[in-house]
Amino acid sequence: MTSRRRFLGLAAGAGVGLAIPIGSATYAHLAGESTGALLTSALPLPEPFAVPLPVPPQARAVRSADGTDFYQLTQREAAVEIVPGTKTTVWGYDGIFPGPTFVGRSGRKMVVEVENKLTVPTSLHLHGGVTPAHSDGYPTDLLLPTQCGAAMRNGSYKSHQGEHGMHVEPSDWKVMEGLKSYEYPLEQRAATLWYHDHRMDFSAPQVWRGLAGMFLVRDDEEEALALPGGDHEVPLMLCDRAFEEDGSFRYPGVTPSCIGEPGVEEAYMDGVLGDVQLVNGAPWPVLDVSNTRYRLRLLNASNARRYRLRLDKGEGGRLPFVQIGSDAGLLSAPQRLDALPIAPAERFDVVVDFADCPVGSEVTLVNTLADGRMRQVMRFRVTRQEKDASRVPDQLSKAAAALDRGASVAVRQFDFRRTNSGDGAMWTINGRPFNTSEALATPRLGTVERWRFSSDFHHPVHVHLAHFQVISRGGKPPAATDAGWKDTVDVRPYEVVEVLVRFDGFKGRYMLHCHNLEHEDMAMMANFEVV
């Protein structure tokens, strides 16, 4: 850690741009593949592959009118069993972790009324949603608890102003108490989205405690393809956590209550890695499957952990993934992949065919970037034979056609790095910490721009509202796993990733930021204004 911090300090001193003549291989030797520090549990860890995979319930509309479906969602505490034999208090949407899975229809408006029964402010972000600015979950657009105290009502949640070099204009606090309605027009393609907390300075600990869930959008094009569905379509939310001896979540926050001083202990500024692998909120679970195709909606909902996923068969062989979709929807054509690198907040929509796996065999999903127990993710157990009417066609979506570089009307640079200042090191974009009164770009609605992301570290870069296509990585063609329309891309150490960003949907103030949540909470965010 010391040598890496010294290295990062030298890199930060070089200023904005790729001024340090060092390759990513050298950096990997210094920093390793993992981004963050391991937080170990005080609780004895459960044996892998001992609990069934839970599937979150689907959210149900409370009413529908004039082409709009209305939902209600309550943020509240609940005691749930995550580690067998113990209870963990989660901050959950409807008191569960993960929250209920929303399933929307392209072109059909959804309104979600959220009630905050927690003890802290929240801000709900639909990640990957083409959403009006007032419902996007800007970090200072807060929903206070229903029964908040006078101190919170009078602004104690603002006491962090100036932390990590940030500047927040007093007029940028938009506060509601108890209830807020979020509007989602869903004028977008079928895709695997997710929703999570986005509160200023406290996104990391509040997501860690459970404020996350999946959100699927469907459309006619997707449903005409005869892809695996029903019980053969499985959402898989991957994340890591650590636990105290009493079963509660362990997190190295400066203020465990999430009211007061933000941030983490210094050893965890690079990111927090847990030592318990969860899938849909269960540790190292098992899913019984038939010898047919399954559609897996993979989401990396970890604060900082990166995965390189592989499917290992018990006899030593491997199964491939057939990728059919990326963050923002289906690919133009399927592609076969032996491994899937997934940075925080990325999604991969894949089909896995168990046809050649005999009944009684097992397939293990592993993370080749981890060691020990954390190398294991979950297991599939083939328990029965079934007929398979699903298929993966050679052509998936015409809307996934590649953009022309010549469509770009502007080129912009965004450099993500750790920068030294008089107050210490900060995570910055273009050498500047987050400032609510600044916009680093003013793209025009309906246009395409070329954005260049550079980095001194592993930074998963997320752009709100706008979707993009990766056109180069490190001066070379993009990787196969960069395919399709995306909203998050992993920018590796000392690498430039170029993307073509299309600004559709709405005007207003939106954000780009690092989705390592500890980095985000420590100022690695910036505004852009769609005009």
Side-chain angles (χ1 to χ4, degrees):
M1 181 65 71
T2 301
S3 63
R4 181 166 68 184
R5 288 184 180 280
R6 289 180 61 199
F7 172 75
L8 287 172
L10 289 171
V16 176
L18 301 183
I20 297 294
I22 185 167
S24 59
T26 304
Y27 185 92
H29 174 72
L30 292 171
E33 288 279 6
S34 295
T35 305
L38 183 65
L39 181 69
T40 57
S41 296
L43 184 72
L45 302 184
E47 288 297 319
F49 318 130
V51 298
L53 175 78
V55 177
Q58 183 175 326
R60 300 296 179 185
V62 295
R63 65 185 179 93
S64 298
D66 301 324
T68 300
D69 297 319
F70 294 84
Y71 293 78
Q72 293 177 342
L73 189 66
T74 302
Q75 300 168 141
R76 60 181 176 87
E77 289 188 358
V80 302
E81 184 173 291
I82 297 176
V83 177
T86 67
K87 291 290 187 179
T88 301
T89 297
V90 302
W91 292 357
Y93 295 109
D94 284 350
I96 60 175
F97 168 59
T101 298
F102 285 83
V103 180
R105 188 82 192 174
S106 178
R108 185 173 177 88
K109 184 178 179 181
M110 181 184 292
V111 174
V112 181
E113 183 183 68
V114 179
E115 181 175 11
N116 185 0
K117 289 189 175 182
L118 297 170
T119 58
V120 297
T122 62
S123 181
L124 178 65
H125 173 54
L126 177 57
H127 186 118
V130 180
T131 304
H134 62 77
S135 292
D136 188 56
Y138 194 79
T140 58
D141 189 359
L142 301 182
L143 177 61
L144 300 188
T146 304
Q147 301 294 332
C148 69
M152 185 178 296
R153 189 176 292 110
N154 292 331
S156 65
Y157 53 85
K158 303 180 186 179
S159 62
H160 69 277
Q161 185 161 330
E163 293 288 337
H164 313 304
M166 292 197 224
H167 177 75
V168 182
E169 290 290 337
S171 61
D172 276 317
W173 292 103
K174 294 178 175 60
V175 178
M176 297 185 70
E177 185 176 331
L179 294 170
K180 178 176 178 177
S181 291
Y182 290 83
E183 298 179 8
Y184 302 131
L186 300 184
E187 295 290 347
Q188 57 190 106
R189 304 165 58 222
T192 304
L193 314 182
W194 65 302
Y195 63 102
H196 59 83
D197 191 63
H198 208 274
R199 177 193 167 198
M200 172 72 83
D201 278 352
F202 291 97
S203 295
Q206 295 188 183
V207 171
W208 187 273
R209 292 191 184 190
L211 289 174
M214 298 192 75
F215 192 115
L216 309 181
V217 181
R218 300 197 184 279
D219 65 13
D220 293 343
E221 181 184 49
E222 175 198 52
E223 290 180 345
L225 297 177
L227 296 167
D231 293 341
H232 288 59
E233 180 183 19
V234 185
L236 297 178
M237 178 189 285
L238 279 53
C239 61
D240 54 346
R241 296 291 186 266
F243 294 85
E244 300 287 359
E245 190 173 4
D246 64 359
S248 60
F249 285 128
R250 170 174 279 191
Y251 186 81
V254 174
T255 307
S257 67
C258 294
I259 297 292
E261 185 180 354
V264 291
E265 298 170 9
E266 186 175 354
Y268 298 92
M269 287 182 65
D270 294 341
V272 181
L273 308 176
D275 64 349
V276 177
Q277 176 63 54
L278 302 180
V279 184
N280 292 352
W284 298 287
V286 174
L287 177 65
D288 289 345
V289 298
S290 60
N291 62 338
T292 55
R293 298 181 188 89
Y294 280 74
R295 182 180 184 180
L296 307 180
R297 306 265 199 158
L298 289 160
L299 158 67
N300 181 356
S302 302
N303 282 29
R305 183 175 293 277
R306 297 168 58 252
Y307 296 83
R308 184 180 293 125
L309 298 176
R310 194 176 70 196
L311 288 165
D312 287 355
K313 298 168 69 173
E315 64 272 20
R318 295 174 186 166
L319 283 183
F321 301 95
V322 176
Q323 186 189 3
I324 59 172
S326 188
D327 297 340
L330 294 173
L331 305 183
S332 57
Q335 59 176 356
R336 177 184 168 122
L337 299 169
D338 293 325
L340 293 178
I342 309 184
E346 283 190 303
R347 286 91 67 207
F348 279 81
D349 192 351
V350 301
V351 172
V352 175
D353 192 349
F354 295 98
D356 293 332
C357 300
V359 172
S361 63
E362 296 177 331
V363 177
T364 303
L365 185 65
V366 301
N367 176 19
T368 64
L369 296 184
D371 297 315
R373 290 192 184 199
M374 293 305 291
R375 189 175 178 85
Q376 313 298 318
V377 178
M378 66 172 291
R379 179 163 286 172
F380 300 92
R381 192 164 51 201
V382 183
T383 60
R384 61 194 185 278
Q385 291 185 336
E386 288 181 354
K387 292 184 178 180
D388 193 351
S390 71
R391 65 188 186 92
V392 180
D394 293 336
Q395 298 298 317
L396 294 169
S397 176
K398 295 180 180 179
L403 289 175
D404 185 346
R405 278 176 176 259
S408 171
V409 299
V411 180
R412 304 185 195 271
Q413 169 80 27
F414 300 97
D415 186 64
F416 291 73
R417 74 175 54 238
R418 186 168 173 169
T419 300
N420 288 335
S421 72
D423 298 326
M426 300 179 294
W427 294 110
T428 65
I429 300 177
N430 289 354
R432 305 172 71 85
F434 180 53
N435 185 333
T436 59
S437 64
E438 288 185 345
L440 297 191
T442 53
R444 189 170 296 279
L445 186 66
T447 64
V448 173
E449 295 190 354
R450 180 159 56 98
W451 285 11
R452 304 177 76 248
F453 302 133
S454 54
S455 173
D456 64 349
F457 202 73
H458 281 289
H459 292 299
V461 175
H462 171 48
V463 180
H464 286 215
L465 177 76
H467 299 157
F468 56 77
Q469 294 179 355
V470 180
I471 58 172
S472 72
R473 181 179 285 277
K476 299 178 181 179
T481 49
D482 291 323
W485 284 99
K486 296 178 62 61
D487 56 60
T488 307
V489 63
D490 192 25
V491 185
R492 300 176 301 203
Y494 289 87
E495 180 178 62
V496 175
V497 175
E498 290 189 300
V499 302
L500 292 177
V501 194
R502 187 168 64 191
F503 298 92
D504 285 340
F506 303 95
K507 294 183 291 184
R509 180 177 62 176
Y510 293 90
M511 308 187 72
L512 70 155
H513 60 83
C514 176
H515 220 285
N516 178 317
L517 293 183
E518 280 72 39
H519 296 186
E520 176 187 333
D521 280 351
M522 290 185 283
M524 200 169 234
M525 303 185 289
N527 292 324
F528 64 91
E529 184 88 19
V530 181
V531 298

